[in-house]
Each structure stands twice: as C-alpha cells, then as structure tokens.
Amino acid sequence: MGKRLYSLAVVTVLTVCASESAAQTGVYLQTDMGATMAPQLAVDGSDNDWSTKCDLIINPHGLETGSECDTAPARTSWSNEFDGAAGVSTGIALGYDWGPVRLEGEYFYRITAYNTQSDLGIFDDVTLDKREQEIELAVGTVDDLRSHDVFANMYYDFGSSYSWIPYVGVGVGVERAALDYATIWKRNDDPERIATFSDPALRAKVAGTTTIGDARLTDVMLGYQLLAGVDYRLRDTVTLGMKFRWADFGEFVSEPTPWNQLRSHESSVGRGETILYQVATKDSRFWGVSLSLKYWF
C-alpha cells in the first residue's frame, strides 16, 4: 500500500512539473475571428434648415412671409429607433506574457449589418404640422456600421501552467466608426394637399419635392471593453480558445454633411450658407464571441 502511495505521489509531482514546464512567457501573437451583436440603436438628427417659406430658391420674392424669415431659426431635429443587429469581427493582437499577467495591443475590425428602416420621430411643431398635412414620407435607414478599433488590454490567466487556461481582462481604446445612414422626406404630389402656401403657383412648386441625405458618416470615439475566455494548450507554444467581449464607446456625432438634395434643389436656401445635417447616437455598444489562436515566439 505504501509503495502504491509513493508511486502515485511521484507520478503527481512529475505531472505538475510537466505542466509547469508547459507554461509560456514572452512575446505572443494572437488572431481572432468571431460574431458580434449590437443592441437597439437610437439615432438623433438635426440640421440648420430654414422653413420652406424662407427658402429663397423656392420663394425668391418672400411671398406670404412675416418676421419668421428675419433671423435664423432653431435647428430642426428628428430621431430614429433601429432594432439590434448582428455582425462579424476579425482582429490581431501582439502581447507579452509574464505568466499569470499579460499585456497586449489589439486591433480588430467589425461590421454590424443593421439594414433596416424606421419612421422619423419629429420634435419641432412646424415640421410636425407639415407631417400631418403634406409630408407623406419621412423615414430613416441604417445599413452597416463599420469600425476600426485599437485597444490596450490587460489579462489575468488562471492556471496558466495547465492545459485549460481561463482568463479575464479589461481594455481601453479608440474606435473609428462609419455609419451608413440615409433619410428621405417627401411631400405629397398633389398641390391641393400642400398647406405651406396659399398661392397655387408656390403650392405646385413645392408639391412632390424631396429632401434626401445619404452618406457614410464617421466619428472617432473613446471606449473600454471587458473580456473573458478560456484557452486550450495544443502545444507548448500554441493555444486555441474562445473569447467573450463587451465593448462600450461614447457618443457618436457625425461631421456636418450637406443634403444630397434639399426640397429637390441643392443643399442651400439661397442665403449664402450651406444647409448641413448631423446625426448622433448616445452610445455605441456591442458584445462578441470569437475563436482565438495564440502563438508564443
């Protein structure tokens, strides 16, 4: 009995030693490929447009206007709500492993395919009245959200000397996001449905006009991510694993962008300025799961 216990103890020690010897330190390279999921996206838009009556391209003689055209108006605003969407991501990281602690620089690219449309929510009273009377279509569309992300990550590995290596981590970084956003506003084709003007000629001029914005809008945001996963040691220098991440970035605010067309003419109201619109999201979040392959040099 004593010999068996002694033999078992020797085998256990040798196994632990062999496991310890399998632990890797030093420089490693990691590649990732996986899937992502983003929650509901709220997009708020605004522009510096003037009212249709104050549009000198539509109404060059200022007919049926009063003092409302003497000063620039408050910004027009609207909103869209889009359902959550799935996507894919791929990335690469270079790091250094001290044993239980790792530090790495990571780059990854992701695409979230919203490909959806929603009605506009309108807030200002003037536009809201027009929506009830003459605007027959007011929608927004988001196609893809694409981003380039760079992070500095720190990990803690549990049992880094063994075959299965669970870990947790945290990272801070920057994202350059591009949002494919489009919106269209269309008036009724029937001049009799136009309430903006009483003059038949001006009604006919406005009927059927469209305001269209369609662009890839970009912004750079700071953010953080929480990471967790488990690796399996295939060889002393190679592991295959599964990684989970939750990333959260700040507000996305696009650059001011001219309309493709404003009331069926250029993005201007004839007052020496370009009419520009912007869109913003309160935050940009996503979670992801990916397969990762690490190689130690």
Side-chain angles (χ1 to χ4, degrees):
M1 186 66 176
K3 288 182 178 180
R4 290 182 180 178
L5 289 174
Y6 177 76
S7 299
L8 181 60
V10 170
V11 171
T12 301
V13 170
L14 291 175
T15 302
V16 170
C17 289
S19 298
E20 289 292 337
S21 66
Q24 290 295 318
T25 60
V27 178
Y28 67 87
L29 182 68
Q30 174 179 293
T31 59
D32 284 280
M33 181 170 292
T36 63
M37 184 69 193
Q40 185 182 60
L41 182 68
V43 177
D44 298 320
S46 66
D47 73 355
N48 60 328
D49 190 19
W50 294 64
S51 72
T52 304
K53 285 186 176 183
C54 301
D55 185 340
L56 295 179
I57 298 175
I58 295 289
N59 185 18
H61 302 296
L63 301 178
E64 302 182 23
T65 61
S67 59
E68 71 268 24
C69 298
D70 293 341
T71 58
R75 293 181 67 86
T76 300
S77 59
W78 64 91
S79 69
N80 293 115
E81 295 282 346
F82 301 99
D83 293 335
V88 296
S89 68
T90 183
I92 188 169
L94 184 65
Y96 193 91
D97 191 340
W98 279 273
V101 176
R102 291 185 285 121
L103 292 177
E104 70 177 26
E106 178 189 30
Y107 163 80
F108 65 91
Y109 175 73
R110 70 180 175 104
I111 302 176
T112 302
Y114 285 95
N115 298 325
T116 186
Q117 177 179 289
S118 73
D119 292 335
L120 297 181
I122 301 171
F123 301 116
D124 64 284
D125 293 337
V126 173
T127 308
L128 190 59
D129 288 342
K130 291 179 182 177
R131 177 67 181 270
E132 297 296 327
Q133 300 172 36
E134 61 188 69
I135 297 177
E136 65 177 11
L137 179 66
V139 297
T141 300
V142 166
D143 289 331
D144 293 338
L145 189 153
R146 305 164 184 256
S147 72
H148 298 271
D149 300 75
V150 178
F151 275 88
N153 300 322
M154 181 174 68
Y155 297 92
Y156 185 85
D157 295 335
F158 300 94
S160 58
S161 301
Y162 300 96
S163 295
W164 291 97
I165 311 166
Y167 61 84
V168 294
V170 63
V172 293
V174 62
E175 174 178 85
R176 185 182 188 277
L179 183 68
D180 291 332
Y181 177 78
T183 181
I184 180 169
W185 310 60
K186 182 185 181 300
R187 279 187 164 89
N188 197 286
D189 293 323
D190 182 1
E192 295 301 318
R193 298 288 300 275
I194 303 301
T196 299
F197 294 106
S198 59
D199 185 291
L202 289 175
R203 285 187 171 192
K205 199 171 183 180
V206 171
T209 58
T210 56
T211 295
I212 299 173
D214 187 358
R216 177 167 292 179
L217 307 173
T218 62
D219 193 20
V220 176
M221 302 167 288
L222 298 176
Y224 70 92
Q225 61 179 349
L226 303 177
L227 304 142
V230 61
D231 289 333
Y232 179 75
R233 196 177 299 282
L234 300 176
R235 299 203 307 258
D236 285 355
T237 58
V238 180
T239 63
L240 178 67
M242 181 169 288
K243 177 193 290 185
F244 301 89
R245 77 171 82 228
W246 166 256
D248 191 353
F249 297 91
E251 185 179 27
F252 174 100
V253 181
S254 75
E255 69 280 8
T257 303
W259 293 98
N260 297 71
Q261 62 182 47
L262 177 68
R263 289 183 281 272
S264 295
H265 58 65
E266 67 272 19
S267 192
S268 169
V269 291
R271 295 175 178 271
E273 63 178 338
T274 301
I275 303 303
L276 305 172
Y277 70 95
Q278 284 183 288
V279 303
T281 66
K282 293 182 175 60
D283 51 48
S284 177
R285 303 176 181 177
F286 72 95
W287 63 265
V289 58
S290 60
L291 290 176
S292 62
L293 184 68
K294 293 190 187 73
Y295 175 79
W296 278 262
F297 294 95

